[in-house]
Amino acid sequence: MNSTSARAWRDALVAVVAGFAVMTAVAAAGLACAGAADLPGGAFAHVVAAVVVMASGGEVRITGGAGLLGGADASLSVLPLSVSLAGALTTGYLFLRPLRHRAVARPRELLVRGALPTVLWLVLLTLFALFADHTFRLLNGDSPLEDLGDLLDSTPTAGFRADLPATLGFGLLWIVGLLLIALLVSPRAPLPAGLLRFHTAVRPAAFATAVLLVGYVALGLVIGLVVAATQGHATRTLAVLLLGLPNLAWLGLTLGFGGAWQGRAEGPFGLPVPELLDRVLRGPDLSTVDVSSLARHDGRAWWLVAVAVVALLGTGVLAAVHSPAGIRPWQHALHLGVALALATLTVCLLGRIEIRFGLSLLGIGDDSGLGGKVELTASLWRTTGLGLLWGAVAGFLGALLARPLYHPGRVDGPAPAGRQHP
């Protein structure tokens, strides 16, 4: 193995191991704040592994039963995006770091640089998936239901197990998508010479959109920490921040520019979401979640619109400033409209939530009070279409606002091949 190959393997190993380490730390901290450290039977480490698997694009199935005369039915479809984002930022940064200060890279080199972390990612994901397997009793202590369950050999249990084939399939899409997005949004990452013509059309808008999404998460983090410090329930709030902050922050972004979601919440469980959203979801039928439905309960929801307007205009200016001065306003509008529409579609798909759990004994309903359902899905056409529209408006206005910010002599594209950035 020559020194170049050894360096590539080392860089890939560092990126992948660091990504999983960060995801494990964030997941463990969030679950500890949520009280999962007190789960019986040493379940905590297995739950952490399951959350990391889900955050990496894997699939975890809920298992359960109540013995001979009972049954349990459960499903879980939710992505802990705080864990995902932490791993993505870490792995993406370390993947790009060895490629900095170069304008052009050979296609074969980029393929090798992408294949090595992909292989290592799937290996580590397999280990986490095998460890994400645990079963424990739902009821402990003295209760009539516990005694009846023991008598009938129907003590309810619940557990989880990673679906290895699905986990590896979705995990492959996750890591390949991450590496492609990292190359797409980085203004300084090298591209093959044949793709340099896409630099000015794609990268400024993609970079600005990525900054918008991360900026919303940062804003949500500040608000969450203030809430944790002033409103009580600090550990619960920290658990939400560490596990699902982007889920809520990006929901706020889509609602702010006019998008809508459909959802409902049933059962005795309190949702780890703002109380305002919980109230809207707990209607008798499927509820529409948008700014107007939230504002009927709390007029401060209209601030989501004001924040979105300012953030989108800033995104348009940022995209224009990172583009060559010769790009026309309508081109900025097209580029940012497409970028924001694709980002919105991705957010809608990743932010989907479906949680269902039901338990019965002797075939009679939900005797234990442990049944519940939570659903939240985006109105794709409305939300994505408005993302396209507002991205185009922000791109056009941002180009006009950015004109005084251009500097004379701005370079209208990436540096020539072989030129080093200072």
Side-chain angles (χ1 to χ4, degrees):
M1 181 183 296
N2 58 42
S3 60
T4 302
S5 298
R7 231 179 2 254
W9 275 105
R10 180 203 62 195
D11 295 337
L13 183 63
V14 168
V16 171
V17 170
F20 270 96
V22 169
M23 286 194 296
T24 302
V26 173
L31 290 169
C33 290
D38 298 326
L39 289 172
F44 180 67
H46 299 278
V47 175
V48 171
V51 170
V52 172
V53 167
M54 290 190 295
S56 305
E59 183 172 336
V60 175
R61 299 187 183 277
I62 303 298
T63 61
L68 181 62
L69 299 178
D73 182 28
S75 64
L76 174 67
S77 178
V78 59
L79 200 63
L81 287 177
S82 290
V83 182
S84 300
L85 182 62
L89 291 176
T90 302
T91 302
Y93 170 77
L94 292 175
F95 166 68
L96 293 174
R97 191 172 185 275
L99 301 174
R100 67 191 186 284
H101 303 322
R102 296 167 55 189
V104 178
R106 295 187 303 275
R108 182 178 179 277
E109 179 186 5
L110 287 181
L111 287 175
V112 171
R113 286 281 184 176
L116 296 182
T118 299
V119 171
L120 293 174
W121 187 273
L122 294 179
V123 170
L124 279 182
L125 184 58
T126 299
L127 297 178
F128 272 78
L130 294 175
F131 194 66
D133 186 348
H134 192 77
T135 302
F136 47 86
R137 292 161 65 101
L138 284 176
L139 300 176
N140 289 288
D142 297 328
S143 72
L145 183 59
E146 180 80 4
D147 295 337
L148 179 61
D150 290 337
L151 179 64
L152 299 177
D153 188 26
S154 299
T155 301
T157 63
F160 52 87
R161 178 181 297 110
D163 184 333
L164 188 57
T167 292
L168 293 180
F170 289 120
L172 176 61
L173 294 177
W174 195 95
I175 184 62
V176 171
L178 167 63
L179 300 180
L180 289 176
I181 291 172
L183 286 172
L184 187 67
V185 304
S186 174
R188 293 187 177 274
L191 290 174
L195 298 179
L196 289 179
R197 63 183 181 275
F198 298 110
H199 175 86
T200 57
V202 175
R203 275 186 163 169
F207 170 73
T209 303
V211 171
L212 171 69
L213 295 178
V214 175
Y216 252 81
V217 173
L219 177 61
L221 178 61
V222 172
I223 295 173
L225 291 176
V226 172
V227 170
T230 60
Q231 302 297 321
H233 306 290
T235 55
R236 178 186 174 185
T237 302
L238 290 175
V240 174
L241 296 181
L242 289 165
L243 294 175
L245 175 57
N247 301 69
L248 296 176
W250 296 340
L251 172 66
L253 169 63
T254 60
L255 296 180
F257 62 64
W261 295 64
Q262 305 286 332
R264 73 175 71 189
E266 302 172 356
F269 302 116
L271 299 180
V273 298
E275 182 182 355
L276 175 59
L277 179 58
D278 191 15
R279 291 205 301 267
V280 173
L281 290 176
R282 287 192 182 275
D285 302 312
L286 194 67
S287 302
T288 297
V289 180
D290 56 18
V291 173
S292 62
S293 66
L294 294 175
R296 283 196 290 269
H297 295 269
D298 190 333
R300 290 175 296 180
W302 290 109
W303 278 103
L304 291 173
V305 177
V307 173
V309 168
V310 174
L312 289 173
L313 281 177
T315 302
V317 171
L318 182 63
V321 167
H322 280 78
S323 300
I327 301 296
R328 297 175 180 175
W330 71 265
Q331 292 174 302
H332 285 293
L334 176 62
H335 299 163
L336 190 58
V338 172
L340 188 59
L342 292 175
T344 301
L345 176 62
T346 302
V347 166
C348 290
L349 295 176
L350 296 181
R352 176 178 175 272
I353 296 174
E354 183 176 350
I355 303 172
R356 178 170 49 85
F357 184 81
L359 175 67
S360 64
L361 286 176
L362 300 173
I364 304 175
D366 179 24
D367 295 321
S368 65
L370 288 176
K373 177 189 295 184
V374 179
E375 299 176 8
L376 186 64
T377 57
S379 300
L380 277 180
W381 288 108
R382 170 178 169 176
T383 307
T384 304
L386 286 170
L388 175 64
L389 173 63
W390 284 110
V393 172
F396 187 86
L397 294 179
L400 299 180
L401 294 172
R403 282 179 175 173
L405 303 178
Y406 285 116
H407 297 287
R410 179 180 175 87
V411 178
D412 285 356
R419 180 174 175 178
Q420 300 290 323
H421 291 279

